[in-house]
Amino acid sequence: MEPKGHLIVLGYGDVGKSIVDILYGSPFRFVVVDSNDKVFENVDFEHLVGNGADEDILLAAGVKTASFEFVALNDDTNVIFATLISRNLNPEITIVARANSVKSIEKIYKAGADYVGSLSIVAGQMLAKMTANCMGKSCRIDEDIMLYEGIEIEKYRIDKGSILDSKSIEELDLEGQIGCTIIGIERGKLVITAIKKQTTIRAGDIIAVVGSSKQILEFKERYVN
């Protein structure tokens, strides 16, 4: 992300507050939006009262000139609408959205989100990593995301000839062999989150693996390195 504009946080619940805690001491200018005016009592940062899924509110928050938007609303319908409207108003904005249900992940991606976290703490850590890794005028989001101490998600691309290529989840039995789990597969523009025993991994896929630090290391040693 190039910091050419400010950052917008939609929703000031537990997730939004954790993000603001990170952003407060950062070089980013940010605006927080929430429909409950009481949550903004005794705060000294820029904020706006209103529904984050409302186009007029998004325009008032400066979505057209924002670099980054974090959608931390509690209702997935609002998350989808806010993402869709924001993407239409600003095709260049980077959008990280919180999915309150895993069933909504694909819909939120289709609405235009760049990153979707199905767990609130995952989404918060994505932004934390982005802020922590700012270098000069550019920032990046790492592919590895720590859920809580010792538990991580990492993404891996499956190349032709990989031991994982053409293997089903049942055949691999990663949970039984190592203890880690494949929780998602990116296949072109398709994001697969309903992982079943018969789901087969293909060359070109990007898989998301969750496990402890030790399990992730063993996975790398067996299947990546």
Side-chain angles (χ1 to χ4, degrees), residues 119-126 129 145-153 210-213 215:
L119 299 173
S120 59
I121 194 166
V122 175
Q125 288 292 346
M126 287 175 75
K129 277 188 172 285
I145 305 160
M146 183 165 287
L147 297 172
Y148 52 90
E149 191 63 33
I151 302 297
E152 300 176 2
I153 292 178
V210 64
S212 68
S213 300
Q215 290 165 350

Side-chain angles (χ1 to χ4, degrees), residues 78-128:
N78 285 335
V79 172
I80 292 167
F81 276 117
T83 301
L84 184 63
I85 294 168
S86 298
R87 176 60 66 210
N88 287 337
L89 291 173
N90 184 351
E92 302 302 318
I93 193 171
T94 298
I95 301 174
V96 169
R98 167 194 176 182
N100 297 280
S101 168
V102 293
K103 295 179 181 179
S104 301
I105 292 175
E106 190 169 351
K107 293 179 181 178
I108 298 170
Y109 271 119
K110 287 181 178 179
D114 296 287
Y115 303 90
V116 181
S118 60
L119 299 173
S120 59
I121 194 166
V122 175
Q125 288 292 346
M126 287 175 75
L127 185 55

Side-chain angles (χ1 to χ4, degrees), residues 20-213:
V20 169
D21 286 343
I22 295 167
L23 292 174
Y24 197 79
S26 76
F28 293 102
R29 174 191 164 228
F30 63 93
V31 179
V32 182
V33 177
D34 197 283
S35 57
N36 183 4
D37 60 341
K38 292 182 179 179
V39 301
F40 294 126
E41 292 178 357
N42 303 316
V43 303
D44 60 354
F45 52 78
E46 194 173 350
H47 60 274
L48 184 64
V49 177
N51 183 354
D54 183 275
E55 182 173 342
D56 290 337
I57 295 296
L58 288 168
L59 287 170
V63 68
K64 285 188 174 182
T65 57
S67 295
F68 194 99
E69 180 177 81
F70 191 94
V71 186
L73 302 173
N74 291 325
D75 180 84
D76 280 345
T77 299
N78 285 335
V79 172
I80 292 167
F81 276 117
T83 301
L84 184 63
I85 294 168
S86 298
R87 176 60 66 210
N88 287 337
L89 291 173
N90 184 351
E92 302 302 318
I93 193 171
T94 298
I95 301 174
V96 169
R98 167 194 176 182
N100 297 280
S101 168
V102 293
K103 295 179 181 179
S104 301
I105 292 175
E106 190 169 351
K107 293 179 181 178
I108 298 170
Y109 271 119
K110 287 181 178 179
D114 296 287
Y115 303 90
V116 181
S118 60
L119 299 173
S120 59
I121 194 166
V122 175
Q125 288 292 346
M126 287 175 75
L127 185 55
K129 277 188 172 285
M130 180 207 73
T131 305
N133 284 303
C134 284
M135 299 291 289
K137 292 186 177 180
S138 63
C139 302
R140 62 185 175 83
I141 298 179
D142 286 349
E143 293 294 350
D144 61 304
I145 305 160
M146 183 165 287
L147 297 172
Y148 52 90
E149 191 63 33
I151 302 297
E152 300 176 2
I153 292 178
E154 291 201 12
K155 287 185 177 182
Y156 304 97
R157 181 178 295 278
I158 307 303
D159 297 320
K160 271 192 174 181
S162 166
I163 193 172
L164 300 174
D165 186 13
S166 301
K167 292 289 196 313
S168 70
I169 299 299
E170 186 173 26
E171 287 176 302
L172 289 171
D173 189 25
L174 292 180
E175 289 188 36
Q177 295 295 321
I178 302 176
C180 56
T181 305
I182 295 175
I183 60 169
I185 300 173
E186 295 178 26
R187 183 170 293 161
K189 294 183 179 181
L190 178 66
V191 178
I192 302 170
T193 56
I195 307 298
K196 302 176 182 178
K197 288 183 178 181
Q198 63 268 32
T199 300
T200 301
I201 298 170
R202 304 175 187 171
D205 286 349
I206 297 174
I207 61 172
V209 182
V210 64
S212 68
S213 300

